[in-house]
Amino acid sequence: MAVPLRPWWQDALVYQVYLRSFADANGDGVGDLTGITSRLDHLASLGVDALWLNPCYPSPQRDHGYDVADYFDIHDEYGTLATFDALVAAAAARGIRVLMDLVPSHCSSEHRWFQEAITSPPGSAARARFYFRDGKGEDGSLPPNNWQAAFGGSAWTRLNDDPADGQWYLGTFTPHQPDFDHTDDDVRQLFVDVFEFWFDRGVEGFRVDAVAPTGKHPDLPDQPPVDPDVDVLDITWLNPHTVFRPEGHDVWRDFRSTLDAYEQRHPERELMMVAEAYAVRRPELVRRFTRPDEFHQMFTFDLMLSPWEKTSIERALLDPLELLGDTGVVPAWTLNNHDIQRVVTRLGRADAHLPESWTNNNLASSRADVDHALGARRARAMAALVFALPGSLYLYQGEELGLPEVLGMPDDRRTDPIFALTNGIFEGRDGCRVPLPWTLDPATSFGFSTLPPDAERATLEEPWLPQPSNWGDHSVASEEARPESMLHLYRDLADLRKKYATSQPLATRSIDLGPDVVGVVRGDLVVVVNATGRPAIIDVDHPALVGRRVVLSTCPESDAGTDVVAPDSTVWYVA
Ligand code: BGC
């Protein structure tokens, strides 16, 4: 068998499936694994190499699966191990690999180990798997330190007021998500077992969650004071005692050696793990996490968080590429995920073009007015840029339909813990998680929900998050019928990427084609982004462009010649 030049994941197109909201095959208003299996042709039509499933383990769903109660089973609303196996097989039949989401930094407070810990005495082995500490003050009624939780409030929760056992435990995100102590042998062994269990079921890798806060300073000292203007949701990310700790790297090295050992025993497999770590405007961290004995790839979020402005975009894409240089490691790019306002809305904000609109906060964002048509134009242009770059590319479900963020959801329908834990100051992330529209039919929640022939129930339940009444306009069925739709653009981009981008060398550099545009050259491919609202004249006599022809413009109505790039659009030139 010929040895592939690059591992499959290096330039893979990966589709993120937010399971709860993808497709509901049993009519209960919640997406499920059988729903995904029934819609795999949609993924195949986008030419994806893999799908990444958000956590589907049993969970009380306090943080929609990022609170895992059992790492070795499937959440009952989503299916069973058998329906999981059926999905992996059906995906493999279409050449699509399955990646899972691994949550190592914490589990659910309903996890068997945590339940055991709270009924075991201080100092017990059961408590050593987590961070249990005595409180401060005479009766221990003050938290052990001043750490704040990422989703609001103190990071510490006290078990009870009994001075004899009123210990506190650490939950970096919420009290329902107690942090594991990875220096504990049981915890280390747990994740070895988790890797092996899912690799045995055909999973080809993991997106590893919350990498930044995994690993703590052993003494858990107080966080140094932060500027009082810092947003409450940002305080945790500035805590040097729990974010980007050297201790975290011991965990990643363990994970990698487990993965490598499995691969050695199964040489036909090509496994991977990609790190989710918000290293906002700290591109140098990509090198630290992708050392040969750590992650294969790390998400590069700066392009996702970048303002719609030439210099910011250039830095966001070139910095990681330059820093990785000839290490052979390439970034994992993305423009959307289940934690961030959707790109059409973000880039449609009245302040999206301001360089200072950079946010250090991945959860909140601007509240400026939104022009959706403008946002969609910019989103098309951003997509055409990112499809050309070396590295893997992760699409988030609904991005290919140009779904906007659902703003103004009724408060009583919001489910994200961020909303409750910040007393409604932050809306949270429900708006990017609304169930997908597949058809124009409101009676089936726009095709999201179906009933199996042997259904016990006679009617469909409401979807778990409300869909806007015009959701059908963004449906797959509606966009299929419109050649200028986002769906057609994404399919075209997927084809063009295979045809003209992934075959190119990894080395990518910028070129100066004019004051208003971002110009990027990768081998024979030249991509030009006009991130302004004006037509941009470009230097067609530049040696990088001579002899090249346009194969794509994201501005469908543009009839401009090769020397004009339409406002808020991207053009691909090839030799
Ligand atoms: C996930 C979030 C989750 C958090 C806690 C993140 O980085 O993407 O959805 O709430 O980790 O697990």
Side-chain angles (χ1 to χ4, degrees):
M1 202 172 71
V3 179
L5 280 178
R6 298 174 189 162
W8 70 269
W9 41 263
Q10 201 175 41
D11 52 18
L13 190 58
V14 184
Y15 188 99
Q16 179 189 349
V17 178
Y18 194 74
L19 181 40
R20 260 188 116 62
S21 298
F22 186 73
D24 160 28
N26 67 359
D28 66 355
V30 173
D32 46 48
L33 293 167
T34 304
I36 305 174
T37 305
S38 72
R39 297 285 188 185
L40 281 174
D41 287 341
H42 175 67
L43 270 58
S45 82
L46 288 161
V48 309
D49 301 294
L51 63 87
W52 148 34
L53 279 178
N54 281 102
C56 53
Y57 315 95
S59 160
Q61 302 290 320
R62 298 274 196 164
D63 189 17
H64 295 317
Y66 288 94
D67 46 335
V68 179
D70 177 357
Y71 288 83
F72 303 97
D73 207 344
I74 296 291
H75 180 60
D76 56 2
E77 287 176 303
Y78 299 158
T80 60
L81 285 171
T83 52
F84 180 85
D85 294 343
L87 168 63
V88 173
R94 290 167 176 81
I96 298 174
R97 297 168 156 95
V98 175
L99 306 177
M100 285 183 91
D101 208 317
L102 187 66
V103 189
S105 96
H106 50 266
C107 61
S108 159
S109 50
E110 291 186 18
H111 190 282
R112 184 171 59 81
W113 279 2
F114 190 73
Q115 290 299 313
E116 197 182 325
I118 60 179
T119 52
S120 300
S124 58
R127 287 205 180 174
R129 296 168 180 148
F130 300 93
Y131 291 93
F132 278 89
R133 295 291 183 274
D134 293 333
K136 285 186 175 159
E138 257 177 44
D139 50 3
S141 62
L142 299 172
N145 68 27
N146 68 353
W147 294 6
Q148 294 293 294
F151 293 170
S154 169
W156 293 94
T157 305
R158 197 176 190 194
L159 287 181
N160 56 57
D161 291 335
D162 175 0
D165 179 19
Q167 276 204 316
W168 298 70
Y169 68 88
L170 181 66
T172 294
F173 287 90
T174 71
H176 299 288
Q177 293 160 296
D179 283 32
F180 279 123
D181 183 340
H182 280 267
T183 61
D184 181 83
D185 288 345
D186 288 350
V187 173
R188 294 161 87 134
Q189 185 59 43
L190 169 70
F191 286 97
V192 172
D193 297 344
V194 171
F195 271 91
E196 307 243 335
F197 181 86
W198 294 104
F199 287 154
D200 281 350
R201 299 201 96 89
V203 165
E204 299 289 353
F206 291 99
R207 173 261 191 193
V208 180
D209 181 64
V211 159
T214 304
K216 320 279 175 220
H217 187 300
D219 304 332
L220 309 182
D222 270 347
Q223 174 171 7
V226 294
D227 190 319
D229 293 339
V230 166
D231 196 295
V232 288
L233 295 183
D234 284 338
I235 296 175
T236 303
W237 306 113
L238 299 172
N239 184 349
H241 306 314
T242 184
V243 171
F244 297 128
R245 295 289 313 165
E247 294 82 1
H249 294 279
D250 297 336
V251 179
W252 317 132
R253 280 189 284 268
D254 273 5
F255 281 16
R256 182 60 182 264
S257 64
T258 302
L259 182 149
D260 287 349
Y262 192 97
E263 225 175 27
Q264 266 173 15
R265 296 197 307 276
H266 301 86
E268 74 290 359
R269 303 284 292 274
E270 231 180 339
L271 307 169
M272 59 85 71
M273 51 180 201
V274 54
E276 185 236 15
Y278 280 86
V280 182
R281 302 191 92 178
R282 293 188 60 192
E284 71 284 1
L285 288 175
V286 72
R287 288 210 54 164
R288 206 190 284 174
F289 284 92
T290 57
R291 286 177 285 203
D293 56 351
E294 298 198 28
F295 288 94
H296 300 78
Q297 279 187 313
M298 173 170 163
F299 278 110
T300 303
F301 291 124
D302 279 0
L303 200 54
M304 174 171 79
L305 299 173
S306 169
W308 183 245
E309 185 272 331
K310 171 181 162 144
T311 312
S312 307
I313 295 173
E314 266 173 356
R315 290 318 338 144
L317 71 93
L318 292 171
D319 284 350
L321 291 173
E322 281 165 11
L323 281 154
L324 287 167
D326 57 8
T327 57
V329 176
V330 274
W333 304 98
T334 190
L335 295 179
N336 288 282
N337 65 38
H338 63 290
D339 292 328
I340 298 292
Q341 294 214 346
R342 286 187 176 274
V343 64
V344 166
T345 302
R346 260 184 288 122
L347 294 185
R349 295 277 185 191
D351 57 3
H353 62 293
L354 302 176
E356 62 272 24
S357 68
W358 265 104
T359 169
N360 190 32
N361 182 345
N362 61 321
L363 302 166
S365 62
S366 161
R367 297 185 182 191
D369 290 344
V370 182
D371 175 341
H372 279 120
L374 177 64
R377 272 210 309 280
R378 291 172 171 172
R380 292 170 69 90
M382 198 59 130
L385 168 63
V386 81
F387 267 82
L389 300 177
S392 58
L393 172 57
Y394 286 67
L395 310 179
Y396 174 49
Q397 69 181 39
E399 165 179 346
E400 76 281 20
L401 304 173
L403 289 185
E405 183 80 4
V406 175
L407 300 170
M409 191 177 288
D411 288 353
D412 62 354
R413 297 298 302 272
R414 292 183 194 282
T415 67
D416 185 354
I418 290 178
F419 181 72
L421 291 170
T422 63
N423 296 318
I425 296 172
F426 292 96
E427 287 189 355
R429 302 159 293 176
D430 293 309
C432 64
R433 301 173 175 181
V434 172
L436 285 194
W438 293 92
T439 69
L440 285 154
D441 177 18
T444 59
S445 308
F446 303 108
F448 170 65
S449 289
T450 48
L451 280 176
D454 57 346
E456 282 172 19
R457 71 178 85 238
T459 50
L460 298 171
E461 295 286 324
E462 285 269 295
W464 70 282
L465 284 175
Q467 299 165 308
S469 57
N470 67 348
W471 218 219
D473 297 345
H474 296 286
S475 64
V476 174
S478 162
E479 297 207 9
E480 287 279 9
R482 284 184 280 125
E484 77 293 352
S485 67
M486 195 71 95
L487 179 58
H488 283 283
L489 174 70
Y490 266 66
R491 287 190 185 141
D492 290 349
L493 284 171
D495 285 347
L496 291 170
R497 176 178 160 86
K498 290 217 160 88
K499 208 159 159 190
Y500 300 115
T502 48
S503 52
Q504 302 295 337
L506 299 178
T508 301
R509 62 190 169 85
S510 70
I511 41 163
D512 184 6
L513 292 174
D516 288 335
V517 296
V518 178
V520 176
V521 188
R522 181 180 174 196
D524 289 335
L525 173 65
V526 179
V527 175
V528 183
V529 185
N530 178 2
T532 76
R534 311 171 296 276
I537 309 287
I538 57 163
D539 174 12
V540 280
D541 295 326
H542 191 288
L545 279 188
V546 172
R548 283 182 166 69
R549 66 196 160 93
V550 173
V551 287
L552 171 89
S553 163
T554 60
C555 177
E557 66 274 17
S558 157
D559 59 0
T562 50
D563 63 338
V564 180
V565 178
D568 300 307
S569 77
T570 292
V571 178
W572 281 33
Y573 300 83
V574 298

